[in-house]
Amino acid sequence: MPCSHYLCGMEQLLQKVEQYKTEIKEAIAQSKDDVEIFRIKYLGTKGLVKTIMGEMKTVAADKKREAGQLLNEFKVFVEEKFEELKTAAGSDTAPTATDIDLTLPGSSETIGSRHPISIIQNKIISIFHRLGFSVAEGQEIEDDWHNFSALNLPQNHPARDMQDTFYVLKNPDWLLRTHTSSVQIREMEKGKLPLRIICPGRVYRNETISARAHCFFNQVEGLYIAENVSFADLKQTLYFFVQEMFGADVKVRFRPSYFPFTEPSAEMDISCLICGGTGCNVCKKTGWVEILGCGMVHPKVLDNCGIDSNKYTGFAFGMGVERIAMLSYQIKDLRLFSENDIRFLNQFTAVT
Ligand code: 2NL
């Protein structure tokens, strides 16, 4: 018997339903988005179930009951699969926009802050920057020449001792710099004059760690070389620095001192910030605290760097950043700067 069009409609429908069922059985959903894609594809207003329902009209009148049953069963099958996918994807997936409660208070971000050493170092740099000094940086592993010999430190000087200096691999020519003067030596050797630089950076000394000493710390050294630079220039520069750093009321005094790389040499004290000069533990009841060493660059040092010491003069100074930070913030133990205790660090709110 030739196949009638209406019989074909029913057979096609059966075939299609079987095919879709296999496809739907295998469907998986890893997220709520996947579930929604499934819903739209099969159960949406333009979805497959709706479309296939429309094909009822292609079925012969006497088969309509059978077809109706088939399609209803198919619809239930799809709906059950949809529920199954919903539970599967429900618990362990990211919430969708509708799951988020926008009325809940936000969680605050914890913002980091600058390390106190960085705050003080930046402040020192910016003060000298206003006087025309630019920052020079160098290497932390240095050779004997740049760290010692060029600075007029004789071969038998105690500073070179193993006790004070960290040597790299016991090679007497390579060491961890004990001051940032080595950076200044390298800048002088470049021969571009006049020279006006400050050299901030970490330095190393073989010391037993205590509240007052550490085996690494930070220094800012400064150097100004030109024609006719005088000790008066040195004093005025450092006086300006101290006033900017600690305020207009602070008093200074210079005491004669000795360094192999400067002549004459001096140390500078400021009136005690804690007691204002009346005497306390910090100033050991003297009313004064030492904050830096300085002097006129020794002619031998200039010559060592190829600078004509008859034509040029210069001044240099060096200060410990930790020491200035301890005075500024009244910190009594140097170790706090390198322990990274968040309770300590959180107290410094400046972020610049
Ligand atoms: C201190 C003393 C000082 C210098 C550092 C210097 C550098 C060159 C030439 C001459 Cl390249 N001098 N630096 C001078 C005097 C003192 O530091 O007690 N620092 C914490």
Side-chain angles (χ1 to χ4, degrees), residues 307-345:
I307 293 172
D308 183 353
S309 54
N310 291 315
K311 186 174 174 200
Y312 292 100
T313 52
F315 66 72
F317 56 87
M319 63 187 102
V321 182
E322 279 80 356
R323 187 170 172 77
I324 307 231
M326 287 170 100
L327 287 171
S328 302
Y329 295 120
Q330 302 191 26
I331 294 163
K332 294 201 168 57
D333 194 323
L334 199 62
R335 289 169 289 198
L336 286 162
F337 292 124
S338 51
E339 281 170 350
N340 285 338
D341 185 331
I342 206 80
R343 294 165 302 179
F344 170 72
L345 296 175

Side-chain angles (χ1 to χ4, degrees), residues 146 150-151 179-186 188 205 217-223 225 259-263 265-267 290-298 301-302 305 314-321 323:
H146 293 97
L151 282 154
H179 41 214
T180 55
S181 313
S182 54
V183 181
Q184 294 169 310
I185 295 293
R186 286 180 185 277
M188 285 193 277
R205 301 215 183 143
F217 54 97
N218 290 274
Q219 243 199 340
V220 175
E221 285 211 14
L223 178 72
I225 304 203
F259 302 109
F261 28 86
T262 46
E263 183 59 38
S265 305
E267 277 165 307
E290 182 196 320
I291 66 152
L292 56 81
C294 57
M296 300 306 292
V297 179
H298 198 293
V301 176
L302 295 174
C305 300
F315 66 72
F317 56 87
M319 63 187 102
V321 182
R323 187 170 172 77

Side-chain angles (χ1 to χ4, degrees), residues 40-79:
I40 293 166
K41 183 172 177 191
Y42 295 107
L43 297 166
T45 43
K46 288 177 184 164
L48 206 117
V49 171
K50 275 267 158 64
T51 319
I52 208 165
M53 289 286 190
E55 289 186 26
M56 272 286 279
K57 61 178 183 288
T58 66
V59 176
D62 60 336
K63 295 278 181 189
K64 279 218 194 288
R65 229 178 93 89
E66 205 184 321
Q69 216 173 355
L70 174 78
L71 292 178
N72 270 332
E73 272 169 28
F74 178 61
K75 192 183 172 196
V76 172
F77 171 80
V78 179
E79 282 168 350

Side-chain angles (χ1 to χ4, degrees), residues 58-315:
T58 66
V59 176
D62 60 336
K63 295 278 181 189
K64 279 218 194 288
R65 229 178 93 89
E66 205 184 321
Q69 216 173 355
L70 174 78
L71 292 178
N72 270 332
E73 272 169 28
F74 178 61
K75 192 183 172 196
V76 172
F77 171 80
V78 179
E79 282 168 350
E80 277 172 7
K81 181 70 185 186
F82 174 61
E83 291 303 321
E84 185 192 312
L85 291 181
K86 251 199 334 203
T87 8
S91 55
D92 53 359
T93 48
T96 60
T98 46
D99 293 331
I100 297 168
D101 184 352
L102 295 173
T103 64
L104 286 172
S107 52
S108 60
E109 290 296 322
T110 35
I111 306 169
S113 58
R114 286 260 183 268
H115 193 282
I117 293 301
S118 295
I119 297 173
I120 296 296
Q121 198 173 65
N122 289 346
K123 196 170 168 187
I124 299 171
I125 290 170
S126 87
I127 295 168
F128 283 106
H129 189 85
R130 279 184 275 151
L131 291 174
F133 286 76
S134 49
V135 170
E137 285 181 304
Q139 57 209 56
E140 293 193 3
I141 299 178
E142 269 296 359
D143 54 36
D144 181 279
W145 170 257
H146 293 97
N147 194 78
F148 291 132
S149 299
L151 282 154
N152 196 31
L153 275 135
Q155 213 66 47
N156 59 353
H157 195 278
R160 289 170 180 247
D161 201 310
M162 283 290 227
Q163 247 89 61
D164 299 314
T165 307
F166 286 117
Y167 284 89
V168 178
L169 297 172
K170 298 212 189 307
N171 180 341
D173 200 40
W174 288 102
L175 48 91
L176 297 181
R177 67 183 181 195
T178 59
H179 41 214
T180 55
S181 313
S182 54
V183 181
Q184 294 169 310
I185 295 293
R186 286 180 185 277
E187 289 298 317
M188 285 193 277
E189 283 176 341
K190 289 180 186 168
K192 269 200 192 153
L193 295 172
L195 188 60
R196 192 156 43 182
I197 50 169
I198 46 166
C199 304
R202 180 178 273 191
V203 300
Y204 300 84
R205 301 215 183 143
N206 195 355
E207 303 225 32
T208 309
I209 297 168
S210 73
R212 300 168 146 270
H214 209 291
C215 58
F216 58 79
F217 54 97
N218 290 274
Q219 243 199 340
V220 175
E221 285 211 14
L223 178 72
Y224 176 35
I225 304 203
E227 286 179 54
N228 301 318
V229 176
S230 69
F231 201 89
D233 296 326
L234 166 64
K235 284 177 80 175
Q236 197 54 46
T237 301
L238 294 178
Y239 187 59
F240 175 82
F241 163 69
V242 159
Q243 297 230 306
E244 292 298 306
M245 191 75 205
F246 300 107
D249 294 338
V250 73
K251 289 192 272 294
V252 303
R253 72 176 186 188
F254 287 83
R255 280 178 292 105
S257 184
Y258 172 79
F259 302 109
F261 28 86
T262 46
E263 183 59 38
S265 305
E267 277 165 307
M268 191 173 86
D269 298 340
I270 58 169
S271 50
C272 182
L273 301 169
I274 314 295
C275 63
T278 51
C280 67
N281 309 337
V282 175
C283 59
K284 298 191 203 90
K285 308 233 184 297
T286 64
W288 295 96
V289 282
E290 182 196 320
I291 66 152
L292 56 81
C294 57
M296 300 306 292
V297 179
H298 198 293
K300 266 198 194 161
V301 176
L302 295 174
D303 292 338
N304 284 341
C305 300
I307 293 172
D308 183 353
S309 54
N310 291 315
K311 186 174 174 200
Y312 292 100
T313 52
F315 66 72

